[in-house]
Amino acid sequence: MTEKARNDFFYVCSLIEYTARRTKNRRGVITAALGKAGVEKQLYDAEVNHCLSFEQVSDELIEQYRIPTGAFDTITDCKYEVPSFMDIGKLYSIMIEDCAESGKETDELLCVFSSFISDEISDFQTDLYYQNPSYLECSYRAGYLLD
């Protein structure tokens, strides 16, 4: 993956996380609303959208893809400091790069965000986010949290 592609995936993963938090949705709801074509469009537009605020781009996504407000709020009642949406975006982008076959990174993004690991990472009442990325990747590949 080129450095530009890494940056674009980091941006789009952060945008998905940001939008999911704003709309109180599971991350898979956002990627399902975008679909593969929408994710590819965001990756294509990422270099330009870097210049805009996440809030503005997220507002456009919510409107364009009719993303509803959900009830998946893992932040409001969290007892601990919540990692930033960019910290989580970075984690996702690393997982995608490490797990994807060359040329299938968009497909992997859709799989990762719609898998069980996404909800687990989003549970900020646990320390899962702080676990070794290799553990998260191995758990994702196994389909369950490893002991």
Side-chain angles (χ1 to χ4, degrees), residues 11-31:
Y11 174 81
V12 171
C13 289
S14 297
L15 179 61
I16 291 166
E17 177 68 20
Y18 183 85
T19 303
R21 289 181 185 194
R22 285 189 70 207
T23 61
K24 295 179 174 58
N25 278 301
R26 287 178 159 73
R27 284 59 184 155
V29 170
I30 306 305
T31 56

Side-chain angles (χ1 to χ4, degrees), residues 76-135:
T76 301
D77 295 328
C78 191
K79 297 185 289 187
Y80 308 109
E81 185 174 340
V82 175
S84 76
F85 67 92
M86 292 185 78
D87 289 338
I88 299 295
K90 186 66 169 175
L91 174 65
Y92 280 118
S93 65
I94 290 168
M95 284 183 65
I96 291 162
E97 183 176 7
D98 289 350
C99 294
E101 293 179 34
S102 181
K104 299 207 178 214
E105 292 86 1
T106 302
D107 293 328
E108 195 68 40
L109 180 149
L110 293 166
C111 288
V112 168
F113 275 104
S114 63
S115 76
F116 84 97
I117 200 75
S118 183
D119 284 353
E120 296 290 343
I121 290 169
S122 298
D123 183 356
F124 302 122
Q125 298 284 19
T126 71
D127 66 348
L128 188 65
Y129 162 73
Y130 297 102
Q131 298 298 316
N132 185 314
S134 295
Y135 167 75

Side-chain angles (χ1 to χ4, degrees), residues 5-67:
R6 276 187 200 93
N7 287 336
D8 292 346
F9 271 91
F10 170 47
Y11 174 81
V12 171
C13 289
S14 297
L15 179 61
I16 291 166
E17 177 68 20
Y18 183 85
T19 303
R21 289 181 185 194
R22 285 189 70 207
T23 61
K24 295 179 174 58
N25 278 301
R26 287 178 159 73
R27 284 59 184 155
V29 170
I30 306 305
T31 56
L34 296 173
K36 185 173 181 177
V39 170
E40 288 173 341
K41 180 178 182 347
Q42 293 310 308
L43 288 165
Y44 180 81
D45 293 345
E47 193 170 20
V48 173
N49 285 346
H50 280 222
C51 301
L52 304 172
S53 72
F54 275 95
E55 185 176 28
Q56 178 182 348
V57 178
S58 178
D59 282 344
E60 291 169 5
L61 285 182
I62 292 165
E63 182 179 332
Q64 181 178 355
Y65 293 95
R66 294 182 175 89
I67 299 170

